[in-house]
Amino acid sequence: MNKAHQYQLENKQRYLDELFEILRIPSISADSSYSKEIINCAETISKNLRESGLDHVEICQTKGNPVVYADKIINSELPTVLVYGHYDVQPADPLNLWESDPFDPIIKKTDIHPEGAIYARGSADDKGQFFMHVKAIESLIKTDTLPCNVKIIVEGEEEVGSVNLGSFLKENTSKLSCDIILISDTHIFSNQIPTVTTGLRGLSYVEVELEGPNRDLHSGLYGGAVPNPINVLSSMIASLIDKDGKITVKGFYDKVIELTPEDRAELNKLPFNEEEFKKSIGLNDTEGEKGYNSLERTSIRPTLDVNGIWGGYTGEGAKTVIPSKAYAKISMRLVPDQNPEEITQLFTEHFTSLAPKSVKVTVTPHHGGNAYVLPSTDPGYKAAKLAMEKTFDKEVLPYRTGGSIPIVSLFEEVLGAKSVLMGFGLDSDAIHSPNEHYGVFNFYKGIETIPYFFKYYTENLKKKNS
Ligand code: BES
Ligand code: MN
Ligand code: MN
């Protein structure tokens, strides 16, 4: 057993206790009333980084929530790995659906997690995951076995679109210079089938507003002769997807890159089980774009979904009213080479053209981001695959996920470095949902695996340069 792993085993309980301390801080970025907790969280992390033996620990101010930075530079000749994670979390609501306090972590055993899982908001997304890097690096520093230079940034605005991280990158390109970026903020296929994530989807997110009459109206006195914005909005939305599950926005698919038959076959090597998938989310049947299976529909194909729709009377009892306005939030997950701004533009034109003369439509864009693909020929992919094969003792397959981490494409643009998505969560972790949890097995497995990434990545580059 290597020295770092020995050290990890000796400090197992403390690693967990320290994670719990971070999980107790409700660092919710979407709600400004938690801004003190955001600062508290950044400070707690920087304290931990210092105690873990990292240098140049700094809380960097941005226009929004601070970025925590630290590094350990051992030799400028050696490669530098930049670790990225986020300490902000999603709001915990709906609170009544949590079986335990979202900010008071507890360990519970489940069928999938016989060794227990940590229940808390942020346990998997992303505190439990970025913290594996801190503890892996600590074990390497304390045993004097760190094989390369490491830098780490932990941001506090990922869940609200990383709005200020782009300028932070641009203003700190030399500080953040690196050969590769390593991120644990995704999941593996299962604990038995480890995977390296090779693709993320992009995102375009809009809010739409429809205005009919200039005030709410009595639905008896006016109903029948005036446009009801909720009725109109519903039929407009219904027309956005056709009977084959294709999105009808003009030009939507123009830039979509189809996978090569080889890449498609590689993805489908994963033993995706449609029946289990349905069962796990309580569905009798799935649906989606014709010609693709559920695994493909959730990873390599673009989608359009209404995330929320509101208007009119939703309180107790019945109120007879034709509302003046109706609203919806609509997201589109994108794939290479769809451009989020272009898609937002296409959506806006299409959606506006659908509206009858009787209503006024406004489309407001929210944050978005590009899709991302890591080729399996990349040295970072190879190092991650080797590292996971070493600690899981199983063949590692590439996995494309449907989620988005918009900053990843900016890393490439601004820092000129590829990102390796070596996450250790499971899709059943309930991230963004009540009862979010992260396997204790996954937490320790990540800490064990990360040092091998550093080792194999460094060895491979050394070989190339000699
Ligand atoms: N960590 C997730 C993204 C993720 C999770 C990717 C699992 C792949 C697998 C991240 O924190 C997240 O929630 N991203 C948002 C986008 C963001 C702009 C709010 C998303 O995907 O909805
Ligand atoms: Mn995340
Ligand atoms: Mn998230």
Side-chain angles (χ1 to χ4, degrees), residues 355-380:
K357 245 194 1 244
S358 55
V359 296
K360 200 176 112 213
V361 187
T362 322
V363 180
T364 313
H366 283 277
H367 56 69
N370 285 293
Y372 175 76
V373 173
L374 178 73
S376 53
T377 48
D378 190 275

Short mmCIF file of all heavy atoms in Angstrom, two decimals, residues 355-380:
data_model
loop_
_atom_site.label_atom_id
_atom_site.label_comp_id
_atom_site.label_asym_id
_atom_site.label_seq_id
_atom_site.Cartn_x
_atom_site.Cartn_y
_atom_site.Cartn_z
N ALA A 355 -46.91 33.40 -31.28
CA ALA A 355 -47.95 34.07 -30.50
C ALA A 355 -49.00 34.72 -31.39
O ALA A 355 -48.67 35.38 -32.37
CB ALA A 355 -47.31 35.12 -29.61
N PRO A 356 -50.27 34.54 -31.05
CA PRO A 356 -51.32 35.27 -31.79
C PRO A 356 -51.23 36.76 -31.49
O PRO A 356 -50.64 37.16 -30.48
CB PRO A 356 -52.61 34.67 -31.23
CG PRO A 356 -52.24 34.10 -29.91
CD PRO A 356 -50.80 33.69 -30.00
N LYS A 357 -51.84 37.55 -32.37
CA LYS A 357 -51.82 39.02 -32.24
C LYS A 357 -52.38 39.50 -30.90
O LYS A 357 -52.04 40.56 -30.41
CB LYS A 357 -52.67 39.61 -33.37
CG LYS A 357 -51.89 40.42 -34.34
CD LYS A 357 -52.66 41.31 -35.30
CE LYS A 357 -54.16 41.40 -35.29
NZ LYS A 357 -54.81 40.90 -36.52
N SER A 358 -53.26 38.67 -30.33
CA SER A 358 -53.98 39.08 -29.12
C SER A 358 -53.13 39.14 -27.85
O SER A 358 -53.58 39.64 -26.84
CB SER A 358 -55.15 38.11 -28.90
OG SER A 358 -54.65 36.79 -28.85
N VAL A 359 -51.92 38.59 -27.89
CA VAL A 359 -51.07 38.64 -26.68
C VAL A 359 -49.71 39.25 -26.99
O VAL A 359 -49.26 39.27 -28.14
CB VAL A 359 -50.84 37.23 -26.07
CG1 VAL A 359 -52.14 36.62 -25.57
CG2 VAL A 359 -50.14 36.31 -27.05
N LYS A 360 -49.08 39.75 -25.92
CA LYS A 360 -47.74 40.32 -26.06
C LYS A 360 -46.75 39.33 -25.41
O LYS A 360 -46.98 38.89 -24.29
CB LYS A 360 -47.71 41.66 -25.32
CG LYS A 360 -46.58 42.56 -25.77
CD LYS A 360 -46.65 43.93 -25.06
CE LYS A 360 -45.49 44.08 -24.12
NZ LYS A 360 -45.77 44.85 -22.91
N VAL A 361 -45.67 39.01 -26.13
CA VAL A 361 -44.69 38.05 -25.61
C VAL A 361 -43.39 38.73 -25.27
O VAL A 361 -42.89 39.57 -26.02
CB VAL A 361 -44.33 36.99 -26.69
CG1 VAL A 361 -43.46 35.89 -26.08
CG2 VAL A 361 -45.56 36.42 -27.32
N THR A 362 -42.80 38.39 -24.12
CA THR A 362 -41.45 38.84 -23.79
C THR A 362 -40.62 37.61 -23.44
O THR A 362 -41.06 36.77 -22.66
CB THR A 362 -41.46 39.78 -22.55
OG1 THR A 362 -42.61 40.61 -22.63
CG2 THR A 362 -40.21 40.62 -22.48
N VAL A 363 -39.44 37.51 -24.04
CA VAL A 363 -38.52 36.42 -23.71
C VAL A 363 -37.28 37.02 -23.07
O VAL A 363 -36.65 37.89 -23.65
CB VAL A 363 -38.12 35.62 -24.98
CG1 VAL A 363 -37.17 34.49 -24.62
CG2 VAL A 363 -39.36 35.08 -25.69
N THR A 364 -36.98 36.59 -21.85
CA THR A 364 -35.80 37.10 -21.15
C THR A 364 -34.80 35.97 -20.97
O THR A 364 -35.11 34.96 -20.36
CB THR A 364 -36.19 37.64 -19.75
OG1 THR A 364 -37.34 38.45 -19.89
CG2 THR A 364 -35.06 38.43 -19.12
N PRO A 365 -33.59 36.15 -21.52
CA PRO A 365 -32.59 35.08 -21.37
C PRO A 365 -31.96 35.08 -19.98
O PRO A 365 -31.77 36.15 -19.39
CB PRO A 365 -31.54 35.41 -22.43
CG PRO A 365 -31.83 36.77 -22.93
CD PRO A 365 -33.12 37.26 -22.36
N HIS A 366 -31.68 33.89 -19.46
CA HIS A 366 -30.89 33.76 -18.23
C HIS A 366 -29.50 33.25 -18.61
O HIS A 366 -29.13 33.26 -19.79
CB HIS A 366 -31.58 32.79 -17.27
CG HIS A 366 -32.76 33.41 -16.57
ND1 HIS A 366 -32.61 34.18 -15.44
CD2 HIS A 366 -34.07 33.38 -16.84
CE1 HIS A 366 -33.79 34.59 -15.04
NE2 HIS A 366 -34.71 34.13 -15.88
N HIS A 367 -28.76 32.76 -17.59
CA HIS A 367 -27.40 32.28 -17.89
C HIS A 367 -27.44 31.04 -18.77
O HIS A 367 -28.42 30.32 -18.84
CB HIS A 367 -26.65 31.99 -16.60
CG HIS A 367 -27.36 31.02 -15.69
ND1 HIS A 367 -27.51 29.70 -16.00
CD2 HIS A 367 -27.99 31.21 -14.52
CE1 HIS A 367 -28.17 29.10 -15.03
NE2 HIS A 367 -28.50 30.02 -14.11
N GLY A 368 -26.33 30.79 -19.43
CA GLY A 368 -26.23 29.61 -20.28
C GLY A 368 -24.80 29.13 -20.32
O GLY A 368 -23.96 29.58 -19.52
N GLY A 369 -24.54 28.20 -21.19
CA GLY A 369 -23.17 27.71 -21.29
C GLY A 369 -23.03 26.69 -22.41
O GLY A 369 -24.02 26.14 -22.89
N ASN A 370 -21.79 26.48 -22.81
CA ASN A 370 -21.50 25.56 -23.91
C ASN A 370 -21.41 24.12 -23.45
O ASN A 370 -21.05 23.84 -22.31
CB ASN A 370 -20.14 25.91 -24.53
CG ASN A 370 -20.23 27.15 -25.39
OD1 ASN A 370 -20.88 27.14 -26.43
ND2 ASN A 370 -19.61 28.21 -24.94
N ALA A 371 -21.68 23.22 -24.38
CA ALA A 371 -21.46 21.79 -24.12
C ALA A 371 -19.95 21.54 -24.16
O ALA A 371 -19.16 22.41 -24.56
CB ALA A 371 -22.16 20.97 -25.18
N TYR A 372 -19.56 20.36 -23.72
CA TYR A 372 -18.13 20.06 -23.65
C TYR A 372 -17.89 18.59 -23.93
O TYR A 372 -18.66 17.74 -23.49
CB TYR A 372 -17.62 20.41 -22.25
CG TYR A 372 -16.18 20.03 -22.01
CD1 TYR A 372 -15.14 20.79 -22.54
CD2 TYR A 372 -15.86 18.90 -21.26
CE1 TYR A 372 -13.82 20.44 -22.33
CE2 TYR A 372 -14.53 18.54 -21.04
CZ TYR A 372 -13.53 19.32 -21.58
OH TYR A 372 -12.23 18.96 -21.38
N VAL A 373 -16.81 18.33 -24.66
CA VAL A 373 -16.42 16.93 -24.90
C VAL A 373 -14.92 16.77 -24.68
O VAL A 373 -14.13 17.61 -25.11
CB VAL A 373 -16.78 16.48 -26.34
CG1 VAL A 373 -16.23 15.10 -26.63
CG2 VAL A 373 -18.29 16.47 -26.53
N LEU A 374 -14.55 15.73 -23.98
CA LEU A 374 -13.14 15.39 -23.79
C LEU A 374 -12.84 14.14 -24.62
O LEU A 374 -13.40 13.08 -24.36
CB LEU A 374 -12.87 15.08 -22.31
CG LEU A 374 -11.43 14.67 -21.97
CD1 LEU A 374 -10.48 15.86 -22.04
CD2 LEU A 374 -11.36 14.02 -20.59
N PRO A 375 -11.98 14.28 -25.63
CA PRO A 375 -11.70 13.10 -26.46
C PRO A 375 -10.98 12.01 -25.65
O PRO A 375 -10.19 12.33 -24.76
CB PRO A 375 -10.78 13.64 -27.56
CG PRO A 375 -10.59 15.09 -27.30
CD PRO A 375 -11.23 15.46 -26.02
N SER A 376 -11.26 10.75 -25.99
CA SER A 376 -10.64 9.67 -25.21
C SER A 376 -9.16 9.51 -25.54
O SER A 376 -8.48 8.67 -24.96
CB SER A 376 -11.40 8.36 -25.42
OG SER A 376 -11.50 8.12 -26.80
N THR A 377 -8.66 10.33 -26.46
CA THR A 377 -7.22 10.32 -26.76
C THR A 377 -6.46 11.30 -25.87
O THR A 377 -5.24 11.33 -25.87
CB THR A 377 -6.99 10.74 -28.22
OG1 THR A 377 -7.75 11.93 -28.46
CG2 THR A 377 -7.44 9.66 -29.19
N ASP A 378 -7.17 12.12 -25.11
CA ASP A 378 -6.54 13.14 -24.28
C ASP A 378 -5.75 12.50 -23.13
O ASP A 378 -6.23 11.55 -22.51
CB ASP A 378 -7.62 14.08 -23.71
CG ASP A 378 -7.01 15.29 -23.03
OD1 ASP A 378 -6.67 15.19 -21.84
OD2 ASP A 378 -6.88 16.33 -23.71
N PRO A 379 -4.52 13.01 -22.86
CA PRO A 379 -3.72 12.44 -21.76
C PRO A 379 -4.46 12.49 -20.41
O PRO A 379 -4.28 11.62 -19.57
CB PRO A 379 -2.48 13.35 -21.69
CG PRO A 379 -2.49 14.17 -22.91
CD PRO A 379 -3.83 14.11 -23.56
N GLY A 380 -5.29 13.50 -20.23
CA GLY A 380 -6.06 13.62 -18.99
C GLY A 380 -7.08 12.49 -18.87
O GLY A 380 -7.28 11.92 -17.80
#
